[in-house]
Amino acid sequence: MELFDTATVLARVLTTGVVMSIEKSDRELPGLERLLTKQTGRARAVLVNSRTAAVHAALAGQGIGHGDTAAVPEPDAALGRFLNWLGVTAGAPGPAACDYVSLDSANADQLGELTRASTAPALVVDLTGLGFGPAAAVLTDDDRVWARAERLKIFGAYDLRTMWTQEEADASLVPGVQFNYRLSPLVAACVRMALTQAARPATPTGARS
């Protein structure tokens, strides 16, 4: 995005006064979720603040945790160390637990194409390469995977609606440990603008022949 566009988006978010993802009135995170589900064809989206958080959420959403083995795509050294910390062994034979796509300015307009062949229960989309800070998403058609992954990212609460009351909506979803994996609305707003602009047809410039 141009600097002017970025400044416009940031000014819009800051003017609302909603800069944390625990606010019920936030509109930026739901907006990015809708855009990602539309472009990937998946029914549900979980927004988190890093690639490792997304992989963790994708695995936890399927009940994969300490002592388990899972097929994880592209486990580089950093992700390998994280999986080791989780107690999950990468490299299991069989279907992948999640598919993985990394977006940047060069392929931001190809999200639908890049994910069309995805068949895993969860799809991890790394949005960090778009340049607005660590950001990622987990896309899935499975409501149970979505609910578990969503629960993992908000420590001390079932979801944003119950964060202040500490009400327990579904005891079966309570993970052993919860993490502060929430994505900032500021980052979500910039990522959404970048993806929206990338999807627009290029405007012809110059004189016509």
Side-chain angles (χ1 to χ4, degrees):
M1 292 196 304
E2 299 293 336
L3 290 178
F4 175 79
D5 296 326
T6 304
T8 300
V9 169
L10 294 179
R12 184 188 76 228
V13 177
L14 291 172
T15 299
T16 67
V18 179
V19 295
M20 297 179 65
S21 57
I22 60 174
E23 300 289 347
K24 295 180 180 180
S25 57
D26 169 59
R27 296 292 179 268
E28 303 302 337
L29 296 169
L32 179 55
E33 289 172 351
R34 288 192 297 270
L35 179 60
L36 289 172
T37 55
K38 179 180 180 180
Q39 292 190 355
T40 62
R42 296 292 183 109
R44 297 280 200 169
V46 178
L47 300 177
V48 290
N49 57 13
S50 69
R51 175 187 65 150
T52 51
V55 172
H56 188 185
L59 296 178
Q62 298 171 67
I64 300 171
H66 190 277
D68 294 328
T69 302
V72 180
E74 302 185 33
D76 57 22
L79 183 56
R81 288 192 295 270
F82 181 71
L83 292 173
N84 184 61
W85 180 77
L86 291 177
V88 175
T89 301
C98 62
D99 289 321
Y100 174 75
V101 169
S102 179
L103 293 185
D104 55 31
S105 59
N107 66 0
D109 62 332
Q110 302 170 36
L111 179 56
E113 299 172 24
L114 293 171
T115 60
R116 187 171 296 124
S118 172
T119 58
L123 167 64
V124 171
V125 178
D126 188 359
L127 303 163
T128 305
L130 295 175
F132 302 103
V138 180
L139 287 302
T140 183
D141 290 323
D142 190 317
D143 285 345
R144 195 67 173 174
V145 171
W146 170 82
R148 286 174 172 168
E150 188 72 17
R151 179 62 187 266
L152 184 72
K153 75 178 185 181
I154 308 172
F155 60 89
Y158 171 65
D159 56 25
L160 296 182
R161 296 182 298 277
T162 61
M163 185 161 190
W164 302 112
T165 63
Q166 300 293 289
E167 296 173 355
E168 189 54 65
D170 189 340
S172 67
L173 290 176
V174 180
V177 178
Q178 291 168 277
F179 295 79
N180 188 5
Y181 282 159
R182 294 169 294 155
L183 183 65
S184 162
L186 289 170
V187 175
C190 290
V191 168
R192 181 162 63 117
M193 178 64 73
L195 292 176
T196 300
Q197 290 186 347
R200 291 173 181 166
T203 302
T205 58
R208 296 180 179 179
S209 56

